[in-house]
């Protein structure tokens, strides 16, 4: 079994910062690409940022210059540093990981989500 557990969400005022973390654990041979997605009420889930195992990162235009994705491969952990938060950033944030198991099969796994609420 593989689990992704997110943490770090909460309520913050506009202009504030939060740091999300997501730890992958279980029967993992290798964690490949990891990413953060978000889903606001009444909207579809959207990509926020992704990062390869080598550290190459991409960010959605809506968060460029404000959010930074990073990872610690030794800890199977991905982070999302969120600065200059806006009310429109309010959403449930989900972690996703492309994982190779000991069987060498690859699967995508999702975390349970963490709520981020930005007040104006």
């Amino acid at each position: 079994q593989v689990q992704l557990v997110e943490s770090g969400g909460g309520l913050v005022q506009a202009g504030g910062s939060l740091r999300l973390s997501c730890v992958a654990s279980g029967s993992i041979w290798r964690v490949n690409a990891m990413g953060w997605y978000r889903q606001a009420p009444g909207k579809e889930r959207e990509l926020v940022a992704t990062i390869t195992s080598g550290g190459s990162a991409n960010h959605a235009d809506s968060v460029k210059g404000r959010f930074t994705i990073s990872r610690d491969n030794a800890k199977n952990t991905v982070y999302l540093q969120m600065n200059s938060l806006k009310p429109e950033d309010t959403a449930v944030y989900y972690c996703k990981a492309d994982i190779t198991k000991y069987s060498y099969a690859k699967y995508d796994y999702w975390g349970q989500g963490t709520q981020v609420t930005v007040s104006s």
Side-chain angles (χ1 to χ4, degrees), residues 106-117:
K106 292 181 63 178
Y107 300 96
D108 283 338
Y109 291 90
W110 290 87
Q112 81 286 354
T114 185
Q115 178 70 47
V116 171
T117 302

Side-chain angles (χ1 to χ4, degrees), residues 41-109:
K43 294 187 177 182
E44 294 187 353
R45 191 173 296 188
E46 64 175 2
L47 172 69
V48 176
T50 60
I51 187 167
T52 67
S53 56
S56 295
N58 284 292
H59 299 80
D61 288 343
S62 59
V63 306
K64 279 182 181 176
R66 301 187 299 121
F67 292 10
T68 302
I69 190 171
S70 62
R71 65 188 288 170
D72 183 334
N73 290 336
K75 297 181 179 179
N76 288 341
T77 300
V78 63
Y79 306 97
L80 186 68
Q81 178 65 45
M82 305 186 294
N83 299 328
S84 302
L85 282 160
K86 304 175 182 180
E88 52 262 44
D89 294 319
T90 295
V92 178
Y93 284 71
Y94 296 91
C95 170
K96 179 185 174 183
D98 174 10
I99 290 173
T100 303
K101 302 185 72 175
Y102 289 117
S103 62
Y104 300 113
K106 292 181 63 178
Y107 300 96
D108 283 338
Y109 291 90

Side-chain angles (χ1 to χ4, degrees), residues 21-38:
S21 300
C22 172
V23 181
S25 63
S27 302
I28 297 171
W29 181 66
R30 184 173 66 187
V31 180
N32 305 304
M34 303 184 82
W36 289 97
Y37 294 73
R38 66 186 182 186

